[in-house]
Amino acid sequence: MTSLDKPTSDTDQPHRTDQQDADAKAVTEAALFEAFGGVRGMVETVLPGLLFVTIFTINKDLKASAIAALVVSLALVAVRLVRKDTVKHAFSGVFGVGFGVVFAMMTGNAKDFYLPGMLYTLGLALAYLVTTLAGVPLIGLILGPVFKENLSWRTRNPGRKKAYAKASYAWGLILLAKCAILFPLYWWADTTQLGWVLVALKIPPFLLAVYLTWVFLAKAPPPIDVFAEMEAEEKAEQAEKARKAEQSAREAEDRRAAQAAEARTYEL
């Protein structure tokens, strides 16, 4: 068993000082900010839907509302491309708005603009719960690469796996609660009512889930940096190869010296 496979337990973790706890919270906060896009990512998530429901509330024009939402989504992507920022959050918004526009245009029902996003939310909620029950919490799969731990938490860091499980359950239950509000409104409310409720529920549940994730992970054992471990092992292997090569060179030199000495003995 290599050092990369060696499991640890909660009792193997040293007691952390207040400063280490503060550092862990700061690192966790930065990782969550990177993973979920921060304030800018939230704006990019909310703005297209807000624009759609605002325009539709004013003029009841499905086509104008859909086009405006799609244009602003593309504009957000363009801004990120110009600034050479990561575009994953903006692109996800474009795809979501695009599917919504297609659904609404095909059915002629403005409420269907929101249906793909609602179905995605339901699917994501189930994914969080099912993967956690299967022992592979989805939030760990999302954040593992961000923390440079990949999947090491599954077998080597049980305290961290437990934190990921709690966070994934929190995400799943929060999203299910959101769906429990939205789907009845999809059937019973009109487009503007559904739209404004959906916009209102964009940020608060998300912030609650992110906050709970931060709480669980900040109290968990620190991540195992598998990239640093692999780099260290690679350097150790290179050093061992260099040592063996140097030893072989010395042995070869000793053999040549012995052969030369033996040849001189024969000459005498």
Side-chain angles (χ1 to χ4, degrees):
M1 180 179 290
T2 67
S3 62
L4 293 178
D5 299 320
K6 183 180 178 181
T8 62
S9 65
D10 294 341
T11 56
D12 294 331
Q13 300 295 338
H15 178 71
R16 294 193 297 187
T17 64
D18 291 341
Q19 181 59 46
Q20 288 174 323
D21 285 335
D23 292 342
K25 291 178 179 178
V27 169
T28 302
E29 182 178 349
L32 291 175
F33 191 93
E34 176 183 345
F36 297 114
V39 175
R40 188 173 177 183
M42 288 188 288
V43 171
E44 292 171 342
T45 300
V46 172
L47 190 56
L50 177 60
L51 188 61
F52 177 91
V53 70
T54 300
I55 294 176
F56 191 83
T57 299
I58 294 171
N59 61 18
K60 307 300 181 183
D61 189 331
L62 170 59
K63 185 175 181 180
S65 303
I67 291 175
L70 187 58
V71 168
V72 76
S73 296
L74 293 173
L76 292 171
V77 172
V79 170
R80 280 192 174 267
L81 289 174
V82 170
R83 294 168 60 101
K84 296 182 179 179
D85 294 333
T86 178
V87 296
K88 61 181 180 180
H89 301 292
F91 264 131
S92 65
V94 168
F95 286 124
V97 172
F99 280 119
V101 169
V102 170
F103 267 60
M105 290 298 186
M106 286 178 59
T107 64
N109 184 353
K111 282 198 291 187
D112 287 340
F113 173 79
Y114 304 109
L115 186 57
M118 292 166 57
L119 293 174
Y120 172 78
T121 300
L122 178 59
L124 189 60
L126 295 177
Y128 275 118
L129 298 177
V130 170
T131 55
T132 305
L133 291 173
V136 193
L138 180 58
I139 199 70
L141 300 179
I142 295 172
L143 295 180
V146 178
F147 283 109
K148 299 181 180 180
E149 60 182 337
N150 283 351
L151 297 179
S152 63
W153 50 268
R154 287 195 63 203
T155 55
R156 302 177 56 200
N157 206 336
R160 198 153 180 88
K161 181 179 180 180
K162 189 181 300 182
Y164 280 138
K166 291 179 180 179
S168 290
Y169 277 130
W171 277 90
L173 294 175
I174 289 170
L175 293 179
L176 276 183
K178 180 178 176 179
C179 290
I181 296 172
L182 293 178
F183 276 96
L185 288 176
Y186 174 79
W187 295 109
W188 301 330
D190 60 30
T191 301
T192 55
Q193 291 171 333
L194 173 63
W196 286 113
V197 171
L198 197 147
V199 168
L201 289 178
K202 276 283 186 180
I203 300 302
F206 172 80
L207 290 179
L208 176 60
V210 170
Y211 172 73
L212 291 175
T213 302
W214 177 79
V215 169
F216 295 140
L217 291 182
K219 295 179 179 179
I224 299 171
D225 191 337
V226 294
F227 297 123
E229 287 184 340
M230 288 188 290
E231 184 178 351
E233 290 205 354
E234 184 178 351
K235 288 182 179 180
E237 290 177 0
Q238 292 175 347
E240 180 64 17
K241 288 180 180 179
R243 186 190 66 78
K244 289 182 178 179
E246 184 179 352
Q247 182 178 354
S248 298
R250 286 199 302 267
E251 291 174 352
E253 182 64 27
D254 291 343
R255 286 195 296 270
R256 285 194 294 269
Q259 290 172 355
E262 186 178 357
R264 287 196 297 270
T265 300
Y266 284 146
E267 289 176 0
L268 293 176

